[in-house]
Amino acid sequence: MYRTNTCGELRLSDAGKNVTLSGWVQRIRKMGGMSFVDLRDRYGITQLVFNETDNKELCDAANGLGREYCIQVKGVVSERQSKNPKIPTGDIEILARELNVLSPSLTPPFTIEDKTDGGDELRMKYRYLDLRRTPVRSNLELRHRMTILIRNFLDARDFIEVETPILIGSTPEGARDFVVPSRMNPGQFYALPQSPQTLKQLLMVAGFDRYFQIAKCFRDEDLRADRQPEFTQVDCEMSFVDQDDVINIFEDMCRTLFREIRGVELPKLQQMTWHDAMKRYGSDKPDLRFGMEFVELKDAFAGKGTFSVFDEAQYIGGICVPGCADYSRKQLNELTDFVKRPQIGAKGLVFIKYNTDGTVKSSIEKFYSEDVLLDVKQKMGANDGDLVLILSGDNANKTRVQLCSLRLEMGDRLGLRDKNVFKCLWIVDFPLFEWSDEEQRLMATHHPFTMPNPDDIPLLEEHPERVRAKAYDFVCNGIEVGGGSLRIHDTNLQEKMFKILGFTPERAEAQFGFLMNAFKYGAPPHAGLAFGLDRFVSIMAGLDSIRDCIAFPKNNNGRDVMLDAPSALEAGQLEELQLKLDIKTK
């Protein structure tokens, strides 16, 4: 028997027991004729005591241990003289009687403690060591608990878990596919699924009624803190439901998760239209933990001054930053540089300070009278001591997005984006289509299987850009955690959607004929939703990146530095796949 107990289990009530523990050496301390070893496993840390007076040979063996040695120790539980209230086992220690080295260890490349000295790349290379650290392991334990809660919740509501294929056909609409060559079908390729979208719709046609899957998905896209090339979705689909049915059941699931994981009771969540979200916050995933709603100021300045930038602008919008009228010129210059960054793209920033003594100071005071600036104060709902920041531009939506970045920056600067506060909502009434400058055509905002709002179907032919979707996103703290829609279940309407998206009938048949044919066999009305499990866990854990809630993540270049993947194939493998690469490798 390697152990009778774990390293986080023993308490003062166990004093006098003979026990066997196994784990890894966290640290060693030598004090006079005694040596103290902190032994760690997944469950906690227990202090071991080796006394030179009792057994010098055993004490010498303990002194020869190194960090991360995997050992087994036998001994007696004893009350600790110098107790450690910071750990659950801090009242006891083990008086060691026998020591066995199960496996020695090299000196670790970084300190395996809560606060480590290892950088991201080093920890990713030795991820199996990084996973020994309590914060990382705790994130994966949280992920496990959330997954169990989700499964139990859905199982209790008659959802059935079905696994769908990983090797499927390529569907170029959307993000880029990862493709897999087929040896048995030379020159042909599978794709890894971006989501099980069409497959879960087929399950509804098949009469499964309520489906879910903790599904692996793959997208070959540029990475950010909340993106990985492979990620996990809580993927769900339901038949004979409308939008409110889906929202109600999954809002209830989210309420259960917040209650069980964070002890937070979510209220009934508001639903905000996409149009209102963009107008008030410049984002379809607004962070409601703080205010600073946009105020449109075009009318406030029109014809009242000589500032050509505002006169020529299509949109002028501002945010009121409370208590920041004392911002220095240096701080305001930093904000100007921030909005001018290429990622944001604004040409400049206008400020108005409403000082606590009632005076007004502004970067545009020479163009407008004080009366105009005081009128802006009233429109902004500003008080003495507040700072108003204004952006303008010739494209309203683009300028709103820029102002959104500035709003979030001010929220961060003022500490208003508390990770222990959770503000959730649903965004509804998305546009069905969006214009792609890259493709020079309309693209589906969500995907081409989304149901148009029935009231807007007459607009499909002449004004598709004005059609709203029966789609909904679950947003928490400015992060899109999940989203879904009612699905098209009529072949004719689906064909019309493909036509608007630029599909020829032949291409639509080649890529999605199986789905349209299935709709001819009594397809039920159906709808679904998918949550990003990685994002959801990272929110619950208070993380800035999803990487630390994934066991073996990729780095920002999409590489697994531990496995050194992706990597080149041997010539024999390429030949077997009938592939020839002309790319010169370094």
Side-chain angles (χ1 to χ4, degrees):
M1 183 182 295
Y2 280 107
R3 62 184 180 187
T4 59
N5 301 90
T6 68
C7 295
E9 183 180 355
L10 297 169
R11 301 292 185 269
L12 197 54
S13 57
D14 296 303
K17 285 185 179 179
N18 288 296
V19 297
T20 303
L21 303 182
S22 293
W24 289 266
V25 174
Q26 178 78 18
R27 65 174 63 88
I28 305 169
R29 304 180 303 283
K30 185 171 175 59
M31 299 176 63
M34 302 182 74
S35 294
F36 299 89
V37 175
D38 288 344
L39 188 67
R40 181 196 72 242
D41 65 7
R42 169 186 151 192
Y43 307 95
I45 291 177
T46 297
Q47 178 171 279
L48 314 177
V49 180
F50 297 84
N51 194 325
E52 192 176 88
T53 304
D54 295 339
N55 190 327
K56 186 176 185 308
E57 185 179 348
L58 185 63
C59 193
D60 289 343
N63 291 333
L65 297 174
R67 284 190 174 224
E68 300 308 312
Y69 271 48
C70 184
I71 66 171
Q72 178 195 58
V73 67
K74 296 180 180 180
V76 179
V77 181
S78 176
E79 182 174 2
R80 189 166 168 170
Q81 296 299 311
S82 178
K83 294 182 171 59
N84 183 356
K86 295 181 180 179
I87 58 175
T89 59
D91 289 341
I92 61 98
E93 58 191 11
I94 307 299
L95 304 179
R97 298 290 182 262
E98 183 181 327
L99 172 65
N100 297 308
V101 175
L102 301 176
S103 180
S105 173
L106 298 173
T107 301
F110 54 86
T111 306
I112 301 176
E113 293 181 354
D114 289 4
K115 293 189 179 297
T116 182
D117 55 0
D120 286 349
E121 284 295 295
L122 185 63
R123 291 189 295 109
M124 292 303 101
K125 183 175 181 179
Y126 296 94
R127 183 62 167 176
Y128 46 86
L129 297 180
D130 195 40
L131 288 168
R132 293 181 185 177
R133 296 195 305 119
T134 299
V136 185
R137 187 188 65 248
S138 296
N139 294 336
L140 293 179
E141 290 172 344
L142 172 63
R143 183 189 183 104
H144 162 76
R145 188 177 174 211
M146 285 183 65
T147 304
I148 294 297
L149 286 168
I150 290 167
R151 278 197 164 99
N152 290 342
F153 179 93
L154 295 173
D155 177 66
R157 286 154 184 80
D158 296 325
F159 284 80
I160 180 171
E161 186 168 12
V162 181
E163 291 185 1
T164 53
I166 293 295
L167 297 175
I168 63 170
S170 179
T171 54
E173 193 77 7
R176 294 183 186 89
D177 285 330
F178 282 102
V179 295
V180 181
S182 171
R183 179 183 59 83
M184 293 181 288
N185 300 276
Q188 295 185 313
F189 298 82
Y190 298 106
L192 303 182
Q194 296 184 31
S195 85
Q197 180 61 45
T198 55
L199 295 161
K200 64 180 179 178
Q201 289 189 249
L202 291 175
L203 288 172
M204 296 303 102
V205 176
F208 275 65
D209 192 67
R210 291 189 172 196
Y211 140 96
F212 85 98
Q213 183 181 186
I214 310 295
K216 270 287 188 184
C217 302
F218 308 84
R219 292 178 189 171
D220 188 5
E221 57 186 356
D222 295 336
L223 304 185
R224 299 196 301 250
D226 61 350
R227 283 183 181 172
Q228 284 275 300
E230 56 178 304
F231 58 96
T232 306
Q233 282 186 178
V234 181
D235 198 61
C236 308
E237 198 80 4
M238 306 166 68
S239 293
F240 307 113
V241 290
D242 60 22
Q243 180 168 296
D244 287 340
D245 294 325
V246 179
I247 285 177
N248 288 338
I249 196 166
F250 288 103
E251 183 174 315
D252 193 20
M253 187 185 85
C254 293
R255 193 170 286 111
T256 299
L257 290 172
F258 276 102
R259 183 189 307 119
E260 295 295 326
I261 299 296
R262 294 301 304 257
V264 170
E265 285 293 339
L266 286 187
K268 178 67 178 175
L269 300 185
Q270 68 165 304
Q271 295 182 22
M272 184 183 297
T273 67
W274 177 88
H275 181 269
D276 281 350
M278 294 302 297
K279 184 176 181 180
R280 294 165 61 187
Y281 299 100
S283 172
D284 57 9
K285 44 183 183 295
D287 189 340
L288 301 187
R289 285 174 292 181
F290 63 105
M292 300 189 211
E293 279 194 38
F294 298 177
V295 177
E296 296 190 12
L297 298 171
K298 181 72 174 171
D299 292 343
F301 291 107
K304 299 176 182 178
T306 59
F307 189 43
S308 61
V309 172
F310 280 3
D311 293 339
E312 297 168 5
Q314 182 194 68
Y315 173 85
I316 306 171
I319 58 172
C320 179
V321 188
C324 287
D326 59 354
Y327 257 41
S328 67
R329 170 58 69 178
K330 179 182 177 182
Q331 289 172 302
L332 291 168
N333 287 341
E334 287 174 352
L335 291 177
T336 302
D337 291 340
F338 172 80
V339 299
K340 285 183 173 180
R341 289 162 52 188
Q343 303 95 311
I344 298 173
K347 293 181 180 179
L349 174 67
V350 169
F351 71 84
I352 308 175
K353 293 182 178 185
Y354 297 104
N355 297 315
T356 53
D357 62 3
T359 60
V360 182
K361 182 70 177 173
S362 173
S363 56
I364 54 171
E365 59 188 22
K366 65 181 178 181
F367 301 108
Y368 297 97
S369 69
E370 187 169 311
D371 287 343
V372 172
L373 300 182
L374 289 174
D375 182 48
V376 171
K377 178 182 180 181
Q378 183 179 6
K379 283 183 166 59
M380 294 296 305
N383 298 308
D384 289 344
D386 291 349
L387 172 69
V388 169
L389 300 174
I390 301 171
L391 292 181
S392 63
D394 54 11
N395 183 303
N397 270 344
K398 182 179 178 181
T399 308
R400 288 188 180 108
V401 171
Q402 294 166 348
L403 192 56
C404 172
S405 297
L406 179 60
R407 174 181 179 267
L408 295 177
E409 173 69 11
M410 296 311 300
D412 284 331
R413 285 178 174 233
L414 299 178
L416 301 176
R417 304 180 73 188
D418 187 344
K419 292 178 182 176
N420 293 310
V421 173
F422 303 98
K423 295 294 183 181
C424 305
L425 76 158
W426 293 96
I427 302 296
V428 298
D429 287 348
F430 284 85
L432 187 63
F433 303 102
E434 59 187 1
W435 179 258
S436 169
D437 289 331
E438 183 180 344
E439 297 279 341
Q440 285 296 299
R441 65 180 177 91
L442 288 174
M443 304 277 284
T445 300
H446 283 77
H447 53 62
F449 315 108
T450 299
M451 175 73 77
N453 188 309
D455 295 338
D456 297 346
I457 287 179
L459 298 171
L460 277 172
E461 295 288 353
E462 300 295 330
H463 298 286
E465 73 283 354
R466 288 162 50 185
V467 177
R468 294 167 296 167
K470 294 296 286 184
Y472 34 84
D473 277 2
F474 179 82
V475 175
C476 180
N477 291 358
I479 299 170
E480 176 205 331
V481 184
S485 65
L486 270 61
R487 321 301 192 190
I488 297 170
H489 64 281
D490 173 77
T491 302
N492 293 330
L493 182 56
Q494 187 65 72
E495 287 175 345
K496 184 176 290 188
M497 277 288 292
F498 286 141
K499 182 180 179 181
I500 294 170
L501 290 168
F503 282 66
T504 64
E506 293 76 19
R507 182 185 169 202
E509 175 64 28
Q511 290 190 7
F512 301 111
F514 65 92
L515 183 66
M516 292 187 287
N517 287 334
F519 288 166
K520 297 173 183 176
Y521 293 92
H526 57 285
L529 177 145
F531 286 97
L533 181 62
D534 314 294
R535 289 184 185 181
F536 216 156
V537 175
S538 68
I539 289 173
M540 292 290 194
L543 301 172
D544 293 320
S545 168
I546 64 173
R547 289 197 305 186
D548 276 340
C549 62
I550 298 173
F552 298 102
K554 309 291 187 291
N555 68 8
N556 289 338
N557 294 319
R559 293 196 62 82
D560 186 324
V561 294
M562 182 184 70
L563 300 177
D564 192 24
S567 59
L569 294 180
E570 293 182 0
Q573 291 176 282
L574 292 174
E575 186 178 342
E576 193 172 39
L577 293 168
Q578 298 192 33
L579 293 177
K580 183 178 180 181
L581 298 184
D582 293 327
I583 300 171
K584 293 181 180 179
T585 57
K586 294 181 180 179

